[in-house]
Amino acid sequence: SRQRYVLGDTAMQKMAQSHVFLSGIGGLGVEIGKLGNALTVHDTKQCTKWDLGINFFIHEDDITSQRNRAEATLHRIAELNPYVHVAASTVPLNETTDLSFLKQYQCVILTEVSLLLQKKINDFCHAQQPPIKFISADVYGICSRLFCDFGDEFEVMDTTGEEPKEIFISNITQSNPGIVTCLENHPHRLETGQFLTFREVNGMSCLNGSTHQITVVSPYSFSIGNTSDMEPYLHGGIAVQVKTPKTFYFERLEKQITNPLCLVADFSKPQEPLQIHVAMLALNHFQENFGRSPNIGCLQDAEEMLKIAMSISETLENKPQVNGDVVKWLSRTAQGFLAPLAAAVGGVASQEVLKAVTGKFSPLQQWLYIDMLDIATPLEEMGSEEFLPRGDRYDALRACIGDSLLQKLHDLNVFLVGCGAIGCEMLKNFALLGVGTGQDKGLVTITDPDLIEKSNLNRQFLFRPHHIQKPKSYTAAEATLNINPYLKIDSYINKVCPATENTYSDEFYTKQDVIVTALDNVEARRYIDSRCVANLRPLVDSGTMGTKGHTEVIVPHLTESYNSHRDPPEEEIPFCTLKSFPAAIEHTIQWARDKFESSFSHKPSLFNKFWQTYPSAEEVLQRIKSGESLEGCFHVIKTLSRRPRSWTQCVELARVKFEKYFSHKALQLLHSFPLDTRLKDGSLFWQSPKRPPFPVKFEFNDPLHYGFIVSAAKLFATVYCVPFTEKDLSEEAIFKIISAVKVPEFRPSNKVVQTDETARKPDHIPVSSEDERNAIFQLEKSILSNEALENDLQMKPISFEKDDDSNGHIDFITAASNLRAKMYNIEPADRFKTKRIAGKIIPAIATATAAVSGLVALELIKVVGGYPADAYKNCFLNLAIPIMVFTETAEVRRTEIRNGISFTIWDRWTIYGKEDFTLLDFINAVREKYGIEPTMVVQGVKMLYVPVMPGHIKRLKLTMQKLVKPSADKKYVDLTVSFAPETDGEEDLPGPPVRYYFVQEDN
């Protein structure tokens, strides 16, 4: 379901009907094979020990049994999606093969195939009608290449996959061109050349239903052509973006080799793709000439490859400059294989396959090169023996990074937070890299509190259907050991947040060499980042949303931290908009979600809490009669007195709620603000974005109305512990109950309707004396009727669960939201869209997850190697467009205090005290050690010393023990200090955190 939100149903259906041919099930082929299409996997090679370090689906018994790679991986690929057919082929594929068998496929992917054969197969695919989409991809050492050819012309219906934008209009000029202005503080975010259609425009009504190409004038306005002959614009109107098809043009591989069109991923090195293009062509020629790849670390082979590169460059159209270092490092490592690089390029390639078979998203045109040349320079000093094979599963990796760096990976202590989609991919990368497999050192610690859900299976690739409802962390650990049984791994089900500080103490963090986060919770990320900064530990963070992804590397003393920048806050829907003036379907869905939470979770929880505090109704009656105020008692008594006690009463309650929500609410608003109401400036009250409501008349035969009654009644029955049967749910039974319901008549109220968009929902609604008298009467009545017994004082709160279709939660929210949308004349949303918005579901797809995790693992290698700041790269990608942008990490900022004294976020001052150490001693110790005297000392939110506050001067004589009051096992406390400004009247100057140890440590 999460992938449906990315691709949409049409693309999913096309994907299900497609058939893909994938040749070469090595480390890159198996990454592409995870994508879940009907697939034929082709390979002619046998499994070897080398494969254990690059192919996560090949195990040691496959080597001893001398299995073919395609046959060995077939059932493991098929396990990923039982709904698609996967077949294996082991027949030879070479220059003499009759290629007509490829006509049955919509897409052909080649890995580990010679360039000559790639050209032949590409020519065949391109010549078919319609063309067979062609993709070739390779990883050689520390460089990778991806090429796409989807035929002369390839039409795409949706280039971005983004939801069409809706823009509320505030004005349209009568002019040539007509200028459309959108609502204040709501930028349109459109681009020149896009198309819009209009609806609900008052005055210039001929625009409604028409489509116009726009030219952007400013962030808040755009032009649409001649409007001078139209009627004057009055008010309102919504402009909706129209998706238009786009045609992409491709050239064959043969032609593209000489004049390549490359996606530039690192704008600081715009020439690098062409340089790698030439180097990889030289490698292909070397392989053809000598029947082998260059030998590992062989300078003679590197020189030969450089000569070939020079001659190739002369044959290309732009005669690109040859980069000798690129050629040399490609030659030295070409026999090797960097598994995380394969994950990154494999994720991108998989997305291109989806584009090829669905026609959704913009295809790659036509080459992408991703490399790890940043790791090469420090390896210059190593002798060639460092890179030579040792006959173990890590030989492919050793050929790229050398044995010393490989051993550091084995000895690594790493803490992985989150075992979802990225977490599963990271564990696979750890297993292939041998992270945490050292004999004496090294450990992978993982934690995730969640259980596996069915919706996880399409991208959290370590999990299978039989794992559903098992803990993610334990299951992921077990699956990782299947890839590499030598991994040492500890798994936990703890949350990582301030409440778990005892579980993950500073001592725990200092034992970790690096922390990797794979979370979608921003607050948890910020917390972990703060712990990494406090304990001087590197952090590699990443995340995805649909086809978008990012990676960020945080290294002590070199880079800024995650908390150094803030994402813009999520826009909250104003309370008055939700309550009375919805303008979009998102508003009605949030209103329905809030109604669910209030009626079926919050109120039942408060009800139970109240009766746990006051166990008897008689006692409560006595207390309120004596004038005592019991918090929440009036709402609890109201709930008790109206409690449904049968299925019939649950249905009746649902029918009454229908009238209240979708009829009386509209009548009340129109009573408070009639349709002709005007504001002080003379403009209409009911104009865009405010939409006047109209009461909905209940119709039993309307599926939407009926759906609300049934779903609401079932939920009321659940919270009030009322049993019901299948017979009770029959249309006949519901109709009989509904027909007998006496619906209360509408009585207008003079209550003030909130129209201020800045107003927040009130915490408490005041209780009138009449409410108090009613409560006493209602409670007396319940007691006398024996309806305030122990069972009556309990409810069953419901926790919202979006992925269980049988519980009726999304059914209720969809029905309630769409009824409210109907009341306000808002376009309704289907159940699927409602579920995404109400459940705050983050669309997800395995392609972006694989790419991001591969990039994280590449940065991890640099962190472990202790690389300089300019080697690290952050990345933002959007595989739909496609773009991939590498940037250098932000250099850590230094804050000046004064007199040359400065600090960064990574600095922490340390003071060692003793038992009788006073606050004054602490201040003097800071001055003596660091050359500046603190004027303010704070512990968390507690102000220990602020000179201007009464009594604080006396605190200087108090001991630090007495001021801080540490627990017996507490060795230190972290304090914040600040310093007097140079000029009176200015703010105090900030300082770094100061860790104060209560006694001098032995070491």
Side-chain angles (χ1 to χ4, degrees), residues 751-810:
K751 251 189 345 186
V752 175
V753 177
Q754 181 61 260
T755 59
D756 180 3
E757 289 198 4
T758 61
R760 303 188 73 81
K761 184 178 182 179
D763 293 329
H764 296 287
I765 297 167
V767 178
S768 67
S769 54
E770 188 184 345
D771 289 336
E772 289 181 21
R773 285 194 299 275
N774 277 340
I776 294 170
F777 171 73
Q778 286 168 352
L779 188 54
E780 282 178 334
K781 188 180 172 187
S782 296
I783 293 168
L784 288 170
S785 310
N786 285 328
E787 291 182 346
L789 303 176
E790 189 178 346
N791 282 350
D792 299 313
L793 306 183
Q794 290 175 359
M795 289 176 74
K796 186 181 175 185
I798 296 174
S799 294
F800 175 67
E801 172 48 59
K802 58 187 175 287
D803 283 318
D804 179 359
D805 288 345
S806 67
N807 63 21
H809 298 185
I810 295 296

Side-chain angles (χ1 to χ4, degrees), residues 412-416 430 435 443 509 511-516 532 537-540 554 859-860 863-864:
L412 196 67
N413 289 330
V414 61
F415 182 33
L416 173 66
F430 290 168
V435 170
L443 177 68
Y509 277 93
K511 285 179 181 174
Q512 307 308 314
D513 298 307
V514 65
I515 289 86
V516 178
C532 289
R537 286 294 168 268
L539 169 67
V540 191
I554 293 150
E859 295 306 311
L860 179 76
V863 171
V864 173

Side-chain angles (χ1 to χ4, degrees), residues 137-172:
D138 284 297
V139 172
Y140 291 112
I142 58 176
C143 294
S144 69
R145 165 175 74 193
L146 174 63
F147 172 79
C148 294
D149 171 16
F150 294 172
D152 288 331
E153 296 184 1
F154 180 70
E155 187 175 76
V156 173
M157 299 306 294
D158 181 355
T159 57
T160 65
E162 302 290 339
E163 288 269 323
K165 296 183 179 74
E166 289 199 356
I167 298 105
F168 286 94
I169 296 165
S170 67
N171 188 46
I172 307 173

Side-chain angles (χ1 to χ4, degrees), residues 193-213:
Q194 290 179 330
F195 289 85
L196 298 178
T197 185
F198 291 83
R199 68 169 196 256
E200 299 178 33
V201 176
N202 289 277
M204 209 175 271
S205 54
C206 60
L207 279 178
N208 292 328
S210 64
T211 301
H212 298 262
Q213 191 169 20

